[in-house]
Amino acid sequence: MSFRSRTLGSGIFYIPGFPKGVKWLLISNVAVFVLGFFAGLLHLDRPLSILALVPIQVVRNLFVWQLATYLFLHGGFGHILWNMLALWMFGADIESVWGTRRLYSSIFFCGIGAGICVVLLNFLLPWGNPLTPTIGSSGAIFGILLAYAMLYPDRTILFSFLIPIKVKYFVLIIGAIAFMSSFQVNTGVSEFAHLGGLLFGYIFMKAPRVHFDPAAEVRGQYREWQLRRAKKKFQVYLRKQGSGRDPKVH
């Protein structure tokens, strides 16, 4: 898949850069994939299996971390290649507009939201299977695609590097395909995650400045602790200074 912007000149293909946020997402995903690849060759990949999203484990064993960790696991070279290519091509432009923090917020908001949809739908629908593991960042990527289509609806992409199509129509098509495919079983693709990513991508775009930052509370408490500590030190300093003064001096 490639794309170009008509705003940058006719016939000129637009190649995004590598902003900090996208770069580190690419590095972390590739690093986990390489680690898992060689761990599999050595038959040491069992610890990584608890990172995949298995609905029954999330519900019964409370393995809630799987709602986030499954995003960094990929099943093969083609799987990670296309996901990382889409992340780079669409995420780089979004980061240039939103900044790194908001890009990360959207990635984890959509990815975890897609994971919640996977868990719920696999339990609620008759053809769902709560024992089936789900891996890959496709849910988060679909959320990014939805956001990109809302930001740049008329930008032209080359679907499969051949067919020119506007982003808004491309997202409608892949959304319709994901919806229809979700009624099939044993396809090897988690369409529930794709649909969940689109849904939470829309929520993210429509909600008033959603910021999904799991570490925000920790940072806030740390800053409060630093403030209390500085205040305490200042009070001790004032007492020491005051103890050496003549009480008659005002």
Side-chain angles (χ1 to χ4, degrees):
M1 186 187 301
S2 180
F3 66 93
R4 64 183 180 181
S5 171
R6 296 188 184 279
T7 62
L8 298 177
S10 177
I12 299 177
F13 288 92
Y14 173 63
I15 303 298
F18 284 92
K20 180 178 66 175
V22 168
K23 179 178 68 175
W24 283 108
L25 284 172
L26 294 175
I27 291 173
S28 58
N29 275 274
V30 172
V32 172
F33 177 77
V34 172
L35 176 64
F37 176 79
F38 286 105
L41 293 179
L42 299 173
H43 303 288
L44 299 174
D45 56 339
R46 188 169 182 178
L48 292 176
S49 64
I50 65 171
L51 303 181
L53 178 59
V54 183
I56 198 168
Q57 292 181 354
V58 174
V59 173
R60 293 186 179 178
N61 301 332
L62 298 181
F63 289 178
V64 293
W65 63 81
Q66 294 181 353
L67 293 171
T69 55
Y70 84 102
L71 295 168
F72 295 90
L73 303 178
H74 293 84
F77 290 104
H79 190 199
I80 191 171
L81 174 64
W82 289 110
N83 275 350
M84 295 302 100
L85 182 62
L87 172 63
W88 167 61
M89 292 173 63
F90 299 103
D93 267 353
I94 290 179
E95 184 178 356
S96 68
V97 175
W98 285 353
T100 301
R101 179 174 294 184
R102 187 159 169 79
L103 172 71
Y104 282 169
S105 296
S106 66
I107 289 287
F108 285 102
F109 182 82
C110 296
I112 293 176
I116 293 173
C117 291
V118 169
V119 173
L120 293 177
L121 294 177
N122 271 294
F123 272 102
L124 296 177
L125 297 180
W127 58 91
N129 185 356
L131 298 176
T132 301
T134 296
I135 59 174
S137 54
S138 298
I141 298 300
F142 269 61
I144 290 295
L145 284 173
L146 193 285
Y148 193 91
M150 295 179 71
L151 290 172
Y152 308 107
D154 294 319
R155 179 169 286 180
T156 301
I157 68 171
L158 292 180
F159 179 54
S160 298
F161 298 99
L162 294 173
I163 306 171
I165 184 174
K166 290 186 176 180
V167 177
K168 58 185 178 183
Y169 300 132
F170 171 71
V171 173
L172 285 174
I173 291 172
I174 63 173
I177 293 174
F179 177 73
M180 296 175 65
S181 299
S182 67
F183 292 95
Q184 300 176 333
V185 296
N186 300 324
T187 62
V189 178
S190 180
E191 302 297 348
F192 295 157
H194 295 170
L195 292 173
L198 291 173
L199 172 63
F200 277 82
Y202 181 80
I203 294 173
F204 188 90
M205 292 296 292
K206 288 299 184 179
R209 297 295 293 178
V210 172
H211 289 286
F212 186 80
D213 189 353
E217 183 65 23
V218 176
R219 291 197 301 267
Q221 292 179 358
Y222 178 69
R223 285 194 295 267
E224 290 180 3
W225 173 81
Q226 285 183 315
L227 183 60
R228 290 195 300 269
R229 185 184 180 194
K231 184 177 180 180
K232 185 176 180 180
K233 287 183 176 181
F234 185 65
Q235 290 173 343
V236 171
Y237 171 78
L238 288 179
R239 285 197 295 268
K240 289 183 178 179
Q241 292 295 316
S243 62
R245 290 184 177 181
D246 186 343
K248 294 182 180 180
V249 176
H250 295 283

